[in-house]
Amino acid sequence: MKSTKRIWQALFAVFICSFGVLLYLGSEIYQQAPPIPERIQSESGQVIFTKEDIEQGQLVWRSMGGHQNGSIWGHGSLLAPDWNADWLHREALASLELLAKAVYNQSYKSLTVPQQKYLQAQLQQDIRANRYNPATGEITVSENRAQVILSLSRYYQGLFSADPQFTALREQYALKEGVLKDKQRAYRLSAFFFWSTWATVTERPGKDISYTSNWPYEPLVANEPDGDLLGWSMFSIILMIAGIGALVWYHASLKHEPLPTPSKTDPLLSLDIKPSQRAVFKYFLTAIGLFLLQITLGGITAHYAVEGQEFYGYPLAEILPYAVTRTWHTQLAVFWIATAWLGTGLFIAPALSNHEPKFQKLGVNVLWVALLVVVLGSMFGEWYAAQQIWDLDTSYWFGHQGYEFVDLGRIWQILLLAGLLIWLALITRAILPALSDNHEHRPVVMVLFLSSVAIGLFYGVGLMMGKHTHLAIAEYWRWWVVHLWVEGFFETFAAAVVSLLFVRLGLIRAKSANTTVLFTTVIFLTGGIIGTLHHLYFGGTPTSVIAWGASFSALEVVPLALIGFEAFESYKLGQASPWMTRYKWAIMFFVACSFWNLVGAGVFGFLINPPISLYYIQGLNITALHAHTAFMGVYGMLGIGLILFCVRPMVSENYWNDKLLKYAFWTLNLGLAMMAFMSLLPVGVIQFNAVMEQGYWYARSPEIIHSAAVESLVWWRLPGDVVFAAGGGFIILFMLNALRSFLPQKTTPGLTLNQE
């Protein structure tokens, strides 16, 4: 008991201290974010852009899909360029050409290397100087730079319109024809592109690095990594090794109690399934349906890397452009996994308390309808926003917010938060009796409840991003949602659920589950909360973010050092008793979750966590490699495992098809591995070499993305996609077959089930 109390105290301390640091650094980001000027003008007084142009340009970018049409500061989709790297390189080349004509009366390419280096030094002095005047709110640029800026503004206006001169390039970038139909919107978009690029090369006051810590890598303008990136990267590796050593030492020092002797029969067979729990089956069926739709959209999105506006010759982009399919693909990943876990909570809460409050089933059904309205409504709004029919305000409220994983319009975002609060209320009223009873596994139930509270409330931080919130601050709050809500509190919730399931099955002792879940939560949140900052290294944040983010994101890897033990223990529990064969494939999905946690979150995650490595590979296919293997491999596999555990006591033997689950398990895992190792990883390596060869812009250019090697590797992704899609098909077939157990005429003798 004393040991558990100390862990609770440690958990409380970690929570308070970590969020204190995170909020303090948030205030630092707010104060030191790149300034948005009132005007950008030339030395002669010509106004190029205004603050309104920049802020409205950011809204234009958001309305057309934002992160789904290339990237800004390295965040977004991978097919079109990073617009800051693209602008910066084009501006550098155009400026050098003007200087070459002025100084040598020759083209830049015809000059000798020393002459080119001399002009590069001249350019660097001009482009890196911070000419923002805080007193007037003006940025003054040289006449040459003003000329280049206006030229590039016309270039981007043509690219994002229907100008036939850029038709081939739009196809390579998977941009639909006439992305923007309004000339003023295109002009203002270029203003936003310039300002966000200005921040990447302009030095902070009193510093010799830019607002984005010299990201992206562009040798022409001396955007190169500084010593802090390397220093904090080395420190993070040392800290990770020390943390792993300490954890292994602690684990070895523990006294491992023998597992209890399992009962001779399945304890869940006698579970009194309540009407609200049976109603939850529709959540699981919906989750798998959304999963299948996500797989389909993922295949279409990946194919656009070869045919930017067509799908095997059909002009699909006229109906479903890349920005829409990728929006839906990433958003559905959150939706289907969240639906699976929300359904798990609604099933588990009454099971723990053996209590079903009045109207609980009605609440479950109403919430399911509400979730469908949010999912379908937000998808329609995002598609309609991409047509650029709405005004910018309407698009913001009902269409597309433009930020990856929180793309849905503000109204849908508010409704989703309301749905989560309803879910929390349903969970609370069902689980309260289990919280009030002083039973032996009460600490794990408390962790489950507290993580449910965090899930219900923390999505609300996404509302901190307003219509004109500064990009650096918007990214800060966005990663609170993506990292803390999705990756943090859902994972804590799942760990508690899995432990409680094993306790209920009599496979582990409640005392052991209490200690393990609490200790794991402490270790995970120690690195996980402040580790959020590793997403913000180059997002217009001060260098203190790099120091804290590098150090604590390294600690996120520490718990994964023992993941093999977790996988082996889960596998052993699956063999503990003959009746455990009923749960074999649910257990196997937990084992797969552990494997991908090590590979996707551990190996590939740490590959991009140190600042020096992320500096070169942010926004390349290596980050997509981590995203796919961690998100689907960990959270997706875990979600499927939870679904199977919850539906097992509700489905009769006649309709439980282990063969379909076996096929689903192996095809999903094999397909994910093929996708990762046959396509995403080798493409990422090619892009990394391109960065080192010429600069970040080159890795995201058509010369690389549409090179013969990369396009061949994109085609090599097809077998993995097909195998993975087959796994999704097997899962949906299994669920449809299991649905037959819920038909009125299909009663199952031997199971104690309350009929609806």
Side-chain angles (χ1 to χ4, degrees):
M1 183 64 70
K2 289 183 179 179
S3 175
T4 303
K5 184 178 180 180
R6 284 197 298 269
I7 299 177
W8 272 112
Q9 291 171 343
L11 178 59
F12 182 76
V14 165
F15 197 84
I16 295 299
C17 293
S18 295
F19 274 105
V21 170
L22 202 57
L23 289 169
Y24 169 75
L25 290 172
S27 70
E28 290 285 295
I29 294 171
Y30 179 81
Q31 295 174 46
Q32 300 184 40
I36 301 177
E38 294 296 327
R39 287 174 300 282
I40 298 168
Q41 62 186 23
S42 69
E43 292 174 339
S44 63
Q46 179 187 10
V47 175
I48 304 171
F49 300 122
T50 65
K51 183 175 184 177
E52 183 182 9
D53 291 331
I54 296 169
E55 290 184 337
Q56 290 297 311
Q58 184 175 351
L59 268 185
V60 171
W61 169 73
R62 294 172 68 176
S63 73
M64 70 184 196
H67 279 147
Q68 311 302 343
N69 286 294
S71 59
I72 294 289
W73 291 351
H75 295 295
S77 63
L78 312 181
L79 187 51
D82 179 89
W83 300 113
N84 304 127
D86 190 63
W87 180 298
L88 186 58
H89 185 70
R90 292 179 185 277
E91 182 178 352
L93 290 181
S95 299
L96 288 170
E97 194 63 33
L98 285 178
L99 285 171
K101 291 289 176 62
V103 176
Y104 298 108
N105 198 28
Q106 297 182 46
S107 68
Y108 175 73
K109 289 185 178 180
S110 67
L111 300 178
T112 63
V113 172
Q115 289 173 327
Q116 289 182 343
K117 293 294 183 183
Y118 171 74
L119 295 184
Q120 288 175 24
Q122 297 296 309
L123 170 63
Q124 290 162 17
Q125 287 183 358
D126 179 36
I127 201 170
R128 298 188 67 84
N130 194 331
R131 295 192 171 92
Y132 172 72
N133 186 336
T136 63
E138 296 173 349
I139 294 176
T140 303
V141 299
S142 65
E143 293 299 325
N144 276 357
R145 192 175 187 190
Q147 181 181 339
V148 172
I149 292 169
L150 290 171
S151 174
L152 285 175
S153 175
R154 290 190 293 271
Y155 166 82
Y156 286 104
Q157 290 176 58
L159 177 63
F160 284 91
S161 67
D163 189 335
Q165 178 184 350
F166 297 95
T167 299
L169 195 56
R170 278 192 292 270
E171 183 177 355
Q172 291 176 322
Y173 291 164
L175 298 174
K176 61 175 290 188
E177 288 298 310
V179 180
L180 299 175
K181 300 178 175 63
D182 186 290
K183 290 183 179 180
Q184 186 184 42
R185 288 191 183 188
Y187 167 73
R188 286 179 160 174
L189 176 66
S190 70
F192 172 65
F193 281 177
F194 167 74
W195 169 80
S196 55
T197 304
W198 174 86
T200 68
V201 71
T202 301
E203 294 180 350
R204 286 182 176 273
K207 303 281 187 180
D208 58 358
I209 58 171
S210 72
Y211 287 100
T212 59
S213 296
N214 286 355
W215 190 93
Y217 177 52
E218 177 53 79
L220 291 177
V221 295
N223 252 21
E224 298 172 339
D226 72 328
D228 281 348
L229 292 184
L230 183 58
W232 286 112
S233 297
M234 294 298 297
F235 179 77
S236 71
I237 294 172
I238 294 170
L239 191 62
M240 179 192 69
I241 295 172
I244 290 174
L247 184 62
V248 172
W249 182 286
Y250 173 81
H251 187 267
S253 68
L254 292 176
K255 293 181 180 179
H256 300 283
E257 297 181 2
L259 295 174
T261 302
S263 64
K264 295 182 179 180
T265 58
D266 181 356
L268 294 187
L269 276 178
S270 59
L271 185 65
D272 181 23
I273 305 297
K274 298 170 175 56
S276 70
Q277 291 175 291
R278 289 175 62 82
V280 167
F281 185 84
K282 65 174 68 73
Y283 283 74
F284 300 137
L285 190 61
T286 301
I288 298 303
L290 294 176
F291 176 41
L292 201 60
L293 179 57
Q294 190 222 355
I295 293 173
T296 304
L297 290 164
I300 295 172
T301 303
H303 186 77
Y304 277 139
V306 180
E307 295 181 274
Q309 295 174 344
E310 296 182 341
F311 187 72
Y312 294 99
Y314 180 78
L316 186 62
E318 295 179 8
I319 306 169
L320 291 177
Y322 175 87
V324 172
T325 62
R326 191 177 187 275
T327 296
W328 289 352
H329 176 65
T330 55
Q331 184 173 282
L332 285 171
V334 176
F335 276 156
W336 86 259
I337 294 174
T339 301
W341 291 8
L342 296 180
T344 298
L346 293 171
F347 180 87
I348 289 293
L352 291 173
S353 63
N354 197 29
H355 167 68
E356 180 169 71
K358 193 174 183 180
F359 303 122
Q360 182 78 356
K361 178 187 171 185
L362 176 63
V364 169
N365 289 333
V366 169
L367 178 59
W368 177 75
V369 173
L371 288 175
L372 279 186
V373 169
V374 169
V375 171
L376 298 178
S378 65
M379 290 177 69
F380 172 78
E382 288 151 352
W383 176 84
Y384 205 73
Q387 313 310 310
Q388 290 291 291
I389 297 173
W390 281 329
D391 61 71
L392 295 180
D393 288 340
T394 305
S395 182
Y396 167 78
W397 284 102
F398 293 95
H400 207 306
Q401 287 197 67
Y403 293 127
E404 194 174 24
F405 294 111
V406 282
D407 305 87
L408 65 174
R410 178 51 62 99
I411 288 294
W412 308 114
Q413 190 180 20
I414 293 171
L415 290 176
L416 179 55
L417 176 60
L420 289 169
L421 293 177
I422 294 171
W423 173 80
L424 177 59
L426 293 172
I427 292 290
T428 301
R429 65 202 300 264
I431 207 173
L432 274 179
L435 287 173
S436 58
D437 292 342
N438 192 23
H439 45 76
E440 58 180 355
H441 54 271
R442 187 168 179 265
V444 182
V445 177
M446 181 61 72
V447 171
L448 175 67
F449 175 69
L450 291 177
S451 60
S452 300
V453 172
I455 289 169
L457 298 179
F458 261 79
Y459 185 76
V461 300
L463 298 178
M464 300 297 289
M465 303 181 295
K467 190 183 300 183
H468 295 297
T469 299
H470 192 290
L471 184 60
I473 301 300
E475 284 294 319
Y476 170 77
W477 290 117
R478 181 172 77 91
W479 284 109
W480 271 57
V481 176
V482 180
H483 186 90
L484 289 175
W485 185 69
V486 177
E487 299 180 27
F489 297 116
F490 266 120
E491 184 159 321
T492 303
F493 169 84
V497 168
V498 171
S499 293
L500 287 168
L501 285 171
F502 284 151
V503 168
R504 192 65 179 260
L505 288 169
L507 301 177
I508 59 175
R509 301 182 192 280
K511 180 181 178 182
S512 300
N514 293 338
T515 304
T516 301
V517 169
L518 284 172
F519 182 74
T520 301
T521 302
V522 169
I523 295 297
F524 176 76
L525 292 184
T526 297
I529 294 176
I530 300 178
T532 305
L533 297 170
H534 80 262
H535 299 285
L536 304 174
Y537 292 154
F538 313 118
T541 57
T543 53
S544 56
V545 167
I546 295 176
W548 285 94
S551 302
F552 281 84
S553 65
L555 294 179
E556 290 185 89
V557 182
V558 169
L560 304 181
L562 301 180
I563 205 73
F565 291 103
E566 178 184 317
F568 182 64
E569 290 298 322
S570 296
Y571 182 76
K572 279 202 309 182
L573 292 177
Q575 315 294 316
S577 179
W579 55 261
M580 275 300 293
T581 56
R582 291 166 46 83
Y583 304 96
K584 174 182 178 180
W585 294 108
I587 294 286
M588 289 300 290
F589 275 103
F590 291 160
V591 173
C593 168
S594 296
F595 170 80
W596 289 111
N597 216 348
L598 176 62
V599 175
V603 177
F604 296 145
F606 190 71
L607 182 62
I608 66 173
N609 273 6
I612 192 64
S613 61
L614 191 62
Y615 179 84
Y616 292 108
I617 62 179
Q618 176 165 279
L620 305 185
N621 269 264
I622 291 178
T623 58
L625 171 72
H626 162 64
H628 281 77
T629 53
F631 209 97
M632 176 59 213
V634 179
Y635 305 109
M637 297 297 176
L638 186 57
I640 294 173
L642 291 174
I643 288 174
L644 295 179
F645 251 115
C646 292
V647 302
R648 190 62 187 93
M650 295 191 287
V651 177
S652 68
E653 296 293 339
N654 294 336
Y655 302 118
W656 187 271
N657 193 324
D658 272 326
K659 186 175 289 187
L660 285 175
L661 291 180
K662 175 183 177 181
Y663 294 156
F665 175 83
W666 289 112
T667 50
L668 285 174
N669 283 280
L670 180 60
L672 183 58
M674 292 169 66
M675 190 189 311
F677 293 103
M678 291 172 59
S679 181
L680 293 175
L681 179 59
V683 171
V685 171
I686 290 174
Q687 287 184 297
F688 172 71
N689 289 332
V691 172
M692 302 304 293
E693 181 183 338
Q694 295 193 41
Y696 186 84
W697 69 273
Y698 187 53
R700 297 281 297 273
S701 68
E703 289 86 348
I704 296 298
I705 297 298
H706 290 284
S707 65
V710 170
E711 287 202 348
S712 295
L713 287 168
V714 172
W715 281 110
W716 271 105
R717 177 172 167 168
L718 182 61
D721 285 351
V722 171
V723 172
F724 189 84
F730 288 129
I731 282 288
I732 195 67
L733 286 175
F734 168 83
M735 292 297 290
L736 291 174
N737 189 58
L739 178 62
R740 297 165 63 191
S741 206
F742 291 79
L743 299 178
Q745 69 273 20
K746 299 291 183 180
T747 57
T748 308
L751 289 180
T752 308
L753 300 179
N754 290 342
Q755 302 299 317
E756 294 185 273

